[in-house]
Amino acid sequence: MGLDVVTLSRLQFALTITFHYLFPPLAIGLGALLVFMEGAFHVTGDQDWERLARFWTKIFAVNFALGVASGIVMEFQFGTNWSSYARFVGDVFGSALAAEGIFAFFLESGFLAVLVFGWDRVSPRMHLLATVLVSLGSVFSAVWIVIANSWQQTPAGYALVSHGGVLRAEITDFWAVVFNPSSVQRLVHTLLGAYLVGGAFVASVSAYHVLKGRHAGLMRKSLGLSVLFAAAAALALPLSGDLQARVVARTQPAKLAAFEGLYRTTARAPLSLAGLPDDARQEVRFGVAVPGLLSLLVHHRWNASVTGLDAFKAEDRPPVLPCYLLYHAMIGAGMALAALFVLAAWRLRRGRLHEDRLLLWSLVWAVGPALAAGELGWCAAEVGRQPWIVYGLLRTSQAASRAVPPAHILASMALFAAVYALLGAVWVSVLDEKIRRGPDAEDEAKAGGWMDAAAERADPAGRSFTEPRQEA
């Protein structure tokens, strides 16, 4: 692999998106759980749910700040590193990104202030409404980003128009762009993955406190809710993945063939469980597969033929080895998480979860595979689309900026790596401090920290919106 402009630009974008994609799934999953916790407080009147909601709101705010800071960088990269791509898809991609900013980000960030600082300042119903709208804002953000990305996978509702001899895609049917052939299935799968990440994260922290015997009463409630939430998402993900795989088989058959290491078009095609694709031999070495199962899943017939990589020219095929490994690692992580959370839910129902230390420690560490599964799935989808940046229309090799020299990309990539390492360290440090402290009621009376400083700046009359005060 040579370090040319295209390769370096791809590596830089991979670096920034991999870091950024830690935060949106957490925001979506945590946002939904905040709605459940605060809703439970309103329904039952149990103050424990309000204390939990206050605690997880602080975690949500930290995650939101890092997500915004890391996400802005990528939009600039479209103009700096991928100017040919930006020129080609600007009418389509720009519309979706603008909609994300107007309808999602402003909604989410606008009510975030009420969510974080509005405790004891607005009515409980108003605060619950703010929590719901922040959660919806995070979902709407995913909607528009997935629509934009899905259009790259399955373009629809456009016309190619020449401007001074330069082709660009322009929207002819907005709703065809929105409901392009893969957007709905990809959105459902992305949201379910985010819910699994959010549930795994809350379960991890809750299980840690239960193991340490801190805030045990509160954290048992938090643990029960998150385990059930994550188990439901984990069980729904294979069903969603099956629907999405059938769309891929219909719209991007080369990608599915690469995922499965299917070099030749085959009747009674096997579903590969493990192995090592070998392009030279055109086979999966050391493979373990179930005969006919891929045909059954894709076409609902054991003997149906599934398109292999031999149906495509060599220059139109995605790289098989990384696609195969990313895809199977994602599925392996997802299946392991489903087994873990179903077992935890079963133990919870029988009243034995809190005494099962091995299972609790497994839940503590489960957040790692949950985050990794999301990253692996996103990478598999992007690598599987190669060599196209817009499937069938624009090759990745044609999309990079020609005016940016490799040395500049290397230098900026090194700076991004350094800044992201610093941001990551800050993120982990702040989360660690807040998680170790836990949902202690006394925390609310303690001064200091960036959140208190922000509240004081916003309201000079009081140190923090989170503290009750006497009205004049």
Side-chain angles (χ1 to χ4, degrees):
M1 183 186 296
L3 296 179
D4 54 33
V5 170
V6 174
T7 302
L8 287 169
S9 295
R10 290 184 65 189
L11 288 174
Q12 186 180 87
F13 198 81
L15 169 69
T16 53
I17 187 70
T18 300
F19 183 73
H20 173 68
Y21 199 60
L22 292 171
F23 307 107
L26 272 173
I28 295 170
L30 267 179
L33 281 166
L34 281 175
V35 172
F36 278 112
M37 291 176 188
E38 201 166 339
F41 164 63
H42 280 262
V43 171
T44 64
D46 186 342
Q47 295 288 333
D48 284 354
W49 288 114
E50 187 195 34
R51 291 182 65 196
L52 285 169
R54 285 178 183 255
F55 169 67
W56 287 108
T57 295
K58 297 176 185 176
I59 307 296
F60 180 92
V62 174
N63 185 67
F64 180 86
L66 267 293
V68 171
S70 60
I72 293 173
V73 174
M74 289 181 300
E75 303 203 13
F76 283 106
Q77 281 183 276
F78 293 138
T80 56
N81 295 35
W82 300 98
S83 60
S84 298
Y85 161 79
R87 189 181 304 115
F88 183 80
V89 304
D91 191 60
V92 179
F93 209 82
S95 300
L97 291 183
E100 192 260 345
I102 294 170
F103 300 115
F105 179 72
F106 287 162
L107 174 67
E108 188 179 12
S109 55
F111 282 92
L112 182 69
V114 181
L115 170 64
V116 176
F117 302 119
W119 297 102
D120 308 317
R121 290 286 175 174
V122 298
S123 69
R125 288 186 179 180
M126 181 62 205
H127 195 274
L128 175 61
L129 176 63
T131 306
V132 171
L133 292 176
V134 168
S135 178
L136 283 178
S138 67
V139 172
F140 289 159
S141 183
V143 167
W144 290 108
I145 295 301
V146 170
I147 285 172
N149 186 269
S150 297
W151 188 87
Q152 291 180 252
Q153 311 279 348
T154 52
Y158 70 95
L160 295 180
V161 180
S162 176
H163 293 272
V166 177
L167 278 180
R168 59 175 297 192
E170 294 185 354
I171 295 176
T172 58
D173 185 340
F174 177 75
W175 293 112
V177 171
V178 171
F179 294 102
N180 67 72
S182 65
S183 61
V184 174
Q185 289 82 0
R186 298 183 80 242
L187 175 63
V188 171
H189 201 64
T190 300
L191 290 178
L192 287 172
Y195 293 144
L196 175 59
V197 169
F201 181 67
V202 174
S204 172
V205 175
S206 304
Y208 174 80
H209 281 290
V210 171
L211 281 164
K212 296 297 181 182
R214 303 170 185 161
H215 322 286
L218 282 176
M219 284 303 175
R220 286 184 178 188
K221 291 182 177 179
S222 180
L223 180 61
L225 173 64
S226 58
V227 161
L228 295 176
F229 188 76
L235 287 175
L237 272 166
L239 302 176
S240 165
D242 175 62
L243 294 174
Q244 189 178 345
R246 273 186 267 163
V247 171
V248 172
R250 188 175 68 253
T251 59
Q252 297 174 287
K255 176 192 282 189
L256 183 70
F259 284 168
E260 290 294 335
L262 190 67
Y263 286 95
R264 298 176 186 81
T265 301
T266 307
R268 197 178 170 79
L271 183 76
S272 181
L273 302 180
L276 191 64
D278 187 331
D279 287 344
R281 296 187 178 191
Q282 298 282 289
E283 66 179 24
V284 176
R285 301 179 67 188
F286 318 113
V288 178
V290 180
L293 187 53
L294 183 60
S295 294
L296 180 67
L297 291 174
V298 171
H299 298 293
H300 292 172
R301 289 182 289 118
W302 286 100
N303 294 320
S305 179
V306 178
T307 303
L309 289 163
D310 60 349
F312 304 91
K313 297 177 183 176
E315 61 268 27
D316 292 339
R317 299 176 186 175
V320 180
L321 181 61
C323 286
Y324 183 94
L325 295 179
L326 288 166
Y327 178 70
H328 282 78
M330 174 197 69
I331 292 179
M335 298 303 288
L337 288 166
L340 174 65
F341 280 103
V342 168
L343 175 62
W346 180 68
R347 298 284 285 175
L348 177 69
R349 187 176 185 280
R350 296 178 66 86
R352 297 179 178 175
L353 174 61
H354 305 136
E355 289 72 38
D356 191 334
R357 296 186 65 83
L358 178 60
L359 187 53
L360 289 175
W361 276 116
S362 299
L363 291 173
V364 169
W365 295 107
V367 65
L371 284 167
E375 300 272 6
L376 290 166
W378 191 270
C379 290
E382 296 304 292
V383 176
R385 192 187 58 230
Q386 302 305 317
W388 306 98
I389 194 167
V390 180
Y391 194 73
L393 297 179
L394 182 68
R395 291 181 182 273
T396 305
S397 58
Q398 301 169 323
S401 300
R402 301 300 175 191
V404 183
H408 289 188
I409 303 174
L410 264 179
S412 58
M413 188 160 53
L415 286 173
F416 281 137
V419 171
Y420 282 1
L422 180 61
L423 284 175
V426 170
W427 179 54
V428 172
S429 174
V430 173
L431 283 187
D432 181 66
E433 183 270 337
K434 291 188 176 299
I435 288 170
R436 286 182 185 277
R437 183 187 297 176
D440 194 328
E442 294 179 1
D443 294 343
E444 303 300 328
K446 293 180 179 178
W450 63 271
M451 196 173 292
D452 297 299
E456 188 174 359
R457 295 281 297 175
D459 183 13
R463 186 187 61 80
S464 170
F465 281 174
T466 60
E467 291 183 353
R469 67 169 75 168
Q470 296 296 324
E471 298 295 338

